[in-house]
Amino acid sequence: QRLLNELNDTTADLLNETEPYIIEGSEGIVINFAECCRPIPKDPIAGVLTINKGIAVHHESCKNLNKWRRRPGRYLPLNWAKQITETFKVELDIEVNNQQGMIANVTAKIAEAKVNIENISVKQTDNYHAIIHLLLSVEDRIHLAKIIRRIRLIKGVTRVIRSK
C-alpha cells in the first residue's frame, strides 16, 4: 500500500509507470534481495511485489522473474539508488589446480581487498583440480570486478565465475 501511495496513490499509475522505481532503503517498504540470483549494486534489477513480504529484488536475468514479467501488477522495473553504503552477498566459484596452499593464497588475496568471506567450501573435481565456492560481502559490481581480477592473478587459478 505504501508503494502505491508513493506512486500517485493509484494502482493504475503503478501499472503505467515507465520509470523504474529506485531502491533507496528508506521508503518504508520491505525489500528482500533474492538469494537465487543475489543482485548487487550496478546489476540490472527488477522486483516482484509479494503479499506480506514487500518487494523481492532479482537480477534482471534471473530465471525466477520469467513468470512475473507478464504480470504488470506484480512485476516492477527497478534501479539502484546512487548512494548505497551496505554490503551485499555474492557467490564465486574459483576453479584451481589442486595443490598445497591454494585456499590460503585465494583467501589472502581476498583479505587484501578488505572483503569478508561469509562462507567457503571446497570440492575436488578430480585428482588435479578443485572448485573453491565462496560467499563474499561486496559493495557493488565494480568492487566485485576488482576482487575477481586479484584472484585471477594467482598462479594455479584457472577460472573465476560469479555463481547465480
Side-chain angles (χ1 to χ4, degrees):
Q1 187 61 40
R2 175 112 188 226
L3 175 64
L4 297 177
N5 287 338
E6 287 187 19
L7 296 174
N8 300 325
D9 292 329
T10 66
T11 305
D13 286 341
L14 175 62
L15 298 177
N16 296 324
E17 184 71 34
T18 56
E19 290 297 313
Y21 194 69
I22 297 175
I23 302 272
E24 301 249 10
S26 61
E27 299 88 1
I29 300 166
V30 176
I31 296 173
N32 298 296
F33 295 94
E35 290 187 17
C36 52
C37 54
R38 295 194 188 274
I40 60 175
K42 297 196 175 36
D43 279 345
I45 55 173
V48 177
L49 187 58
T50 58
I51 298 169
N52 297 327
K53 293 184 181 178
I55 298 174
V57 180
H58 290 265
H59 192 285
E60 181 64 43
S61 67
C62 181
K63 64 182 180 197
N64 291 329
L65 275 180
N66 290 340
K67 68 180 179 182
W68 299 106
R69 291 182 202 279
R70 292 178 293 278
R71 298 191 61 193
R74 303 284 294 275
Y75 177 82
L76 301 168
L78 301 172
N79 278 336
W80 294 98
K82 294 201 184 329
Q83 297 296 321
I84 298 176
T85 57
E86 61 188 282
T87 59
F88 294 81
K89 294 180 182 171
V90 66
E91 295 179 68
L92 288 181
D93 284 329
I94 305 165
E95 294 179 11
V96 297
N97 295 332
N98 193 10
Q99 58 194 35
Q100 186 175 356
M102 280 308 297
I103 297 171
N105 291 341
V106 169
T107 56
K109 282 291 181 194
I110 292 169
E112 285 175 12
K114 297 185 178 8
V115 174
N116 190 37
I117 298 173
E118 302 280 339
N119 195 350
I120 184 169
S121 63
V122 180
K123 180 181 178 186
Q124 189 170 337
T125 56
D126 59 36
N127 288 337
Y128 305 103
H129 302 95
I131 297 175
I132 302 171
H133 182 81
L134 297 168
L135 180 63
L136 305 174
S137 293
V138 300
E139 297 166 7
D140 57 27
R141 283 177 62 164
I142 295 168
H143 188 209
L144 177 60
K146 289 177 183 177
I147 296 162
I148 290 172
R149 277 194 297 276
R150 284 177 179 255
I151 294 170
R152 285 186 174 145
L153 294 175
I154 300 170
K155 185 178 178 181
V157 171
T158 57
R159 195 161 93 163
V160 183
I161 303 166
R162 179 177 172 188
S163 309
K164 291 184 183 175

